[in-house]
Amino acid sequence: MSLGKEVRNFRESYNLYTLDESEVSASPFIQFENWFAQAVESGVKEPNAMSLATAFEGRPSVRVVLLKGFDERGFVFFTNYESRKAQDIIKNPHAAVVFFWGDLHRQIHIEGVVEKVSATESDEYYASRDRGSRIGAWASAQSQILPDRETLETKVAEAEARFEGLEDIPRPENWGGFRIKPVYMEFWQGRVSRLHDRIAYILQEGETWKIVRKSP
């Protein structure tokens, strides 16, 4: 475990950009869109990858999921509704996500209330997926214990046979989207000597946003 002793010595100098209250948009959604566009233009790999944190009965759980849409209503991702994350959300509809774009020395932290998207939205996104992913949604009982890989491959083969010759594969009822409706959004810009810029948007009554600077 020699690397365990060395991990404290891994350091990155954050000195690319600055962030000031006078520079950000009045809307956190526009600010997110601006930063997301810059991440895409800069070639960040999978800029839509976000760490999703959920909790049930005081036990936190986190995993990386992919953002599939956003607007002023919130941030959307899709999953099996019987998965661990979905069951956490159904029992406790509060979650947080973090986007980390190391190449830009940036991260965005979002907290909010989670709700299912409409069946129409889930249908539209499911229909846009490649055939293999649509088959996979039928074959995988996400988060459930598997005895071996072969069992999963058998289920995939069964689903393939079930929908053989059918291009319009229906969406499973237990698969769909969630929307995180933010109440807090924080934009973090790495700075020299760990004196980072942190600009936060806090949702107020009347659906207005208060912008504050936070200490690093």
Side-chain angles (χ1 to χ4, degrees):
M1 296 294 290
S2 59
L3 277 178
K5 297 179 181 179
E6 300 298 325
V7 70
R8 71 184 66 182
N9 296 321
F10 288 102
R11 292 185 175 90
E12 177 76 18
S13 178
Y14 298 133
N15 55 10
L16 291 179
Y17 304 101
T18 63
L19 185 63
D20 190 79
E21 298 93 314
S22 63
E23 301 171 348
V24 299
S25 171
S27 165
F29 302 104
I30 293 176
Q31 183 63 33
F32 178 90
E33 185 172 33
N34 292 340
W35 268 26
F36 189 85
Q38 291 176 27
V40 172
E41 292 168 2
S42 298
V44 172
K45 187 175 182 180
E46 291 197 295
N48 61 327
M50 58 186 186
S51 297
L52 168 69
T54 58
F56 175 61
E57 294 183 344
R59 294 177 297 167
S61 182
V62 65
R63 75 291 287 163
V64 176
V65 299
L66 298 179
L67 176 71
K68 291 300 181 179
F70 67 91
D71 54 28
E72 292 189 351
R73 295 175 298 168
F75 299 83
V76 175
F77 67 94
F78 293 85
T79 188
N80 185 312
Y81 286 141
E82 295 173 359
S83 65
R84 164 70 186 273
K85 57 182 154 321
Q87 289 301 301
D88 282 357
I89 288 168
I90 290 168
K91 295 167 185 173
N92 174 16
H94 300 270
V97 296
V98 170
F99 295 84
F100 178 65
W101 300 322
D103 292 346
L104 300 177
H105 304 167
R106 287 176 174 172
Q107 69 177 0
I108 302 174
H109 170 201
I110 301 170
E111 299 175 11
V113 179
V114 190
E115 63 183 18
K116 285 184 178 180
V117 305
S118 69
T120 298
E121 288 178 88
S122 290
D123 287 341
E124 288 177 350
Y125 175 68
Y126 180 80
S128 74
R129 306 179 91 202
D130 63 72
R131 183 181 180 82
S133 294
R134 283 178 284 158
I135 289 292
W138 281 95
S140 174
Q142 195 174 90
S143 300
Q144 302 305 307
I145 294 175
L146 275 172
D148 48 45
R149 176 75 185 187
E150 288 71 22
T151 300
L152 175 60
E153 292 173 350
T154 296
K155 290 181 179 295
V156 171
E158 291 171 349
E160 285 280 14
R162 177 179 178 181
F163 298 112
E164 184 178 3
L166 183 64
E167 179 57 32
D168 186 17
I169 301 172
R171 174 177 62 89
E173 291 186 1
N174 66 346
W175 191 97
F178 282 111
R179 176 176 286 107
I180 302 171
K181 301 172 64 176
V183 297
Y184 178 88
M185 293 179 63
E186 180 182 312
F187 295 80
W188 178 98
Q189 178 66 64
R191 295 289 299 276
V192 174
S193 299
R194 300 302 187 259
L195 298 176
H196 313 303
D197 289 326
R198 295 174 62 190
I199 303 297
Y201 294 74
I202 305 171
L203 186 63
Q204 308 293 293
E205 291 185 11
E207 299 298 307
T208 60
W209 291 92
K210 180 180 180 180
I211 300 175
V212 299
R213 172 177 287 273
K214 302 190 79 170
S215 174

